[in-house]
Amino acid sequence: MPDKQKILAEFAGRQPKEWGLHVTGVVNDSPAKQVALTFDACGGPGGSGCDQALLQTLRKLHVPATLFVNSRWIHANPGLAAELAADPLFELANHGTSHLPLSVNGKSAYGITGTATASAAYDELMGNQAVMLDTFGKSPRFFRPGTAFYDDVTAAMTHRLGMLPVNFTVNGDGGATFPAATVATEVGRAGPGDIVISHFNKPAGATAEGYGRALPRLLDKGVSFARLGDVLKP
């Protein structure tokens, strides 16, 4: 893996042309016939809890998922994080070091100021990558920043550092703010190739109840599910 100084030299002076959820280099869907469920755990002010009811539903129905974990959440839940890393139903992915939008010039999303420089973007990517390698013994293959906002320069940097920047086609729970009926409706419209984003760090939300309604219906319709690592190749 190139060291930080080499990466910064490669990206020096590059000015972003795009900003948002859909930028060049970011994967929003997959070519597969399955649906990929992804769940974020933000940590810090974003919440360091765990929606055990949601995980129990996934396990009961044998529905695999990719879990994007932030370093703050890992530090708050070391035993749980290790348990999830060892569960073959799940795959852990990198949700950043400080849960910041990923930019080279400090752009903001949802009131959160993004990384201000290429150096800060590198640290946001690789700080948690190092935590996850040290904690779980393997490097994650996928990355999603806090707020899921990137610019095209940081998306390219993510690729250069050996991770695939991933977003979504279906917003399942609106940051764990949707009521259960809305979660069930949004998740229930997922089909082949969709990547669904939701959260598993906010047990007080209605995410678990909504998934409890939606998943049996989808399974009855013949929808199948896969982890990102089963349908995307970095």
Side-chain angles (χ1 to χ4, degrees), residues 61 181 184-185 188 210-223 225:
L61 297 174
T185 297
Y211 270 84
R213 298 181 193 179
L215 290 180
R217 298 172 190 167
L218 289 169
L219 291 166
D220 285 346
K221 287 166 53 178
V223 173
F225 298 89

Side-chain angles (χ1 to χ4, degrees), residues 113-193:
T113 302
T115 48
T117 62
S119 177
Y122 178 98
D123 292 343
E124 181 67 12
L125 286 156
M126 295 306 292
N128 194 41
Q129 194 76 344
V131 167
M132 295 184 74
L133 176 60
D134 290 345
T135 304
F136 309 124
K138 60 187 297 187
S139 295
R141 301 163 59 195
F142 305 102
F143 179 84
R144 177 186 289 144
T147 75
F149 271 63
Y150 309 75
D151 61 37
D152 51 311
V153 177
T154 58
M157 183 184 292
T158 305
H159 280 278
R160 184 68 178 86
L161 291 169
M163 289 173 279
L164 195 64
V166 176
N167 269 341
F168 55 92
T169 53
V170 176
N171 187 340
D173 70 352
T177 65
F178 290 167
T182 305
V183 174
T185 297
E186 293 304 305
V187 175
R189 66 185 180 86

Side-chain angles (χ1 to χ4, degrees), residues 10-51:
E10 287 183 24
F11 284 84
R14 292 178 62 169
Q15 298 300 314
K17 299 180 176 63
E18 304 171 53
W19 173 247
L21 302 173
H22 299 260
V23 303
T24 300
V26 174
V27 174
N28 288 86
D29 57 8
S30 85
K33 295 180 180 180
Q34 297 99 329
V35 172
L37 299 180
T38 69
F39 297 92
D40 292 357
C42 308
S48 290
C50 180
D51 194 340

Side-chain angles (χ1 to χ4, degrees), residues 17-18 25 29 48 60 68 75 97-98 102 124 146 148 160 171 174-175 188 223-224 227 232:
K17 299 180 176 63
E18 304 171 53
D29 57 8
S48 290
K60 177 182 176 182
F68 283 85
H75 292 316
T97 306
S98 299
L102 202 66
E124 181 67 12
R160 184 68 178 86
N171 187 340
V223 173
S224 60
R227 302 173 307 173
L232 295 176

